[in-house]
């Protein structure tokens, strides 16, 4: 058994995998769960730090403190070199990411009963769209963070390729497969030849026909669902007495996971107080001001995320927003959701078509489309991807586990 592991540091959830004979690859990271939500809560009342589900529970319980989520989204942005204030102290974002990954390492080693000195980290095909230099910087940053968290050696694998390795371990014939990995922050694709005879090869470069991706994922679907269906109830699109529109920046910050805390500055609250005085629809701005004063942005984002999941499963949902003042009850339906994310899914469809074009492969030559990633269940997205490969059968992977399991296989091959 190797002392190397596979680390899927995800925008929404993270996993760690370890290859061992006759055992499942993914390790239990929190109360028997194989996933750890990528969240950290700094509890000001108890001067303590919690992670994962415990972090979300502490935040929702109303403890005074600071919740950080979607940490991976900082990679490839200028924010990664900045800092935030936590419990009255300045905390660099790099240190925050290293703290979370060190916790992943600690928990995985406790579950495995051994230390992991080497790790293969999953990475999106593009951390940054259309900027190869910035993409390299983002990967190097993640490598430095992994080393700071305690790994002696860090390698990388594209996340859709890792998912391909997991799928390949379960098939008995050769296939040309489109891997569609729809995560929290990115949609990544690989076109690859898989099969039992190919699985044992140490070098798979010739089997990979094309990789591609786009910086659109589940948090973007949350964002535009919120902007379409919830934020108008807090004043988005409303007007001041001067007939100018209420600035939209507050709503975009609150609808975007990794910028929610920007809405909590003293300056932002003062500006909102002025807007409230001059607003035509003061009740709506009052809700917004209450939300900001009580720092309920992450709670609202979680409620919208739950609505998105319900819409993906059943086509309808109801959000009971009882922490707003006055409270709101918002009905959601699949048609409105489709309208809100249509521009995003069109961009994803174009990315898949471009992948096929780059590979020189006809759409009807693809045997299988393998869906994985936590956001791969969004119906409109699935329909648009499937339409690009009309003859391919659709296979459902483990939405939260395929990448981690594949990274574990790759770690065994890379480090022995």
């Amino acid at each position: 058994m190797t002392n190397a592991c596979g680390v899927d540091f995800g925008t929404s959830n993270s996993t760690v995998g370890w290859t061992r004979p006759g055992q499942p690859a993914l390790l239990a990271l929190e109360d028997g769960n194989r996933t750890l939500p990528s969240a950290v809560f700094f509890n000001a009342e108890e001067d303590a730090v919690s992670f994962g589900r415990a972090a979300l529970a502490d935040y929702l319980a109303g403890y005074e403190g600071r919740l950080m989520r979607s940490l991976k989204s900082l990679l490839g942005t200028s924010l990664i070199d900045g800092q935030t204030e936590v419990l009255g102290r300045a905390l660099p974002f790099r240190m925050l990411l290293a703290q979370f990954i060190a916790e992943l390492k600690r928990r995985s080693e406790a579950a495995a009963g051994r230390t992991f000195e080497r790790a293969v980290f999953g990475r999106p095909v593009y951390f940054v769209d259309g900027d190869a230099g910035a993409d390299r910087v983002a990967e190097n940053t993640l490598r430095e963070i992994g080393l700071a968290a305690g790994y002696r050696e860090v390698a990388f694998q594209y996340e859709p390729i890792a998912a391909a390795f997991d799928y390949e371990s379960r098939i008995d014939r050769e296939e040309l497969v489109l891997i569609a990995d729809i995560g929290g922050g990115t949609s990544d694709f690989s076109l690859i030849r898989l099969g039992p005879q190919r699985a044992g090869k140490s070098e798979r470069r010739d089997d990979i026909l094309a990789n591609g991706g786009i910086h659109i994922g589940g948090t973007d679907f949350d964002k535009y669902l919120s902007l379409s269906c919830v934020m108008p109830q807090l004043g988005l699109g409303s007007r001041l007495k001067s007939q100018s529109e209420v600035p939209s920046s507050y709503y975009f910050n609150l609808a975007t996971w990794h910028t929610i805390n920007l809405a909590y500055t003293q300056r932002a609250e003062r500006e909102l107080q002025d807007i409230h005085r001059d607003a035509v629809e003061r009740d709506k701005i009052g809700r917004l001001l209450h939300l900001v004063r009580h720092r309920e942005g992450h709670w609202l984002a979680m409620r919208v995320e739950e609505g998105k999941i319900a819409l993906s499963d059943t086509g309808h949902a109801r959000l009971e927003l009882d922490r707003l003042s006055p409270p709101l009850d918002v009905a959601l339906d699949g048609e409105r959701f489709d309208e809100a994310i249509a521009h995003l899914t069109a961009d994803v469809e174009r990315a898949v078509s471009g992948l096929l074009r780059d590979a020189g492969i006809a759409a009807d030559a693809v045997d299988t489309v393998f869906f994985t990633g936590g956001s791969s269940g969004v119906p409109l997205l699935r329909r648009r991807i499937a339409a690009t490969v009309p003859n391919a059968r659709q296979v459902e992977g483990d939405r939260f586990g395929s990448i981690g399991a594949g990274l574990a296989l790759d770690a065994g091959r890379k480090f022995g």
Side-chain angles (χ1 to χ4, degrees), residues 47 253 332:
D47 195 21
N253 280 339
L332 305 176

Side-chain angles (χ1 to χ4, degrees), residues 22 31 37 39 41 47 107 159 194 215 226 229 284 334 401 413:
D31 298 330
F41 183 68
D47 195 21
R107 292 183 183 218
E159 289 159 355
L194 301 174
H215 214 262
S226 181
C229 299
K284 292 183 176 181
R413 292 168 184 161

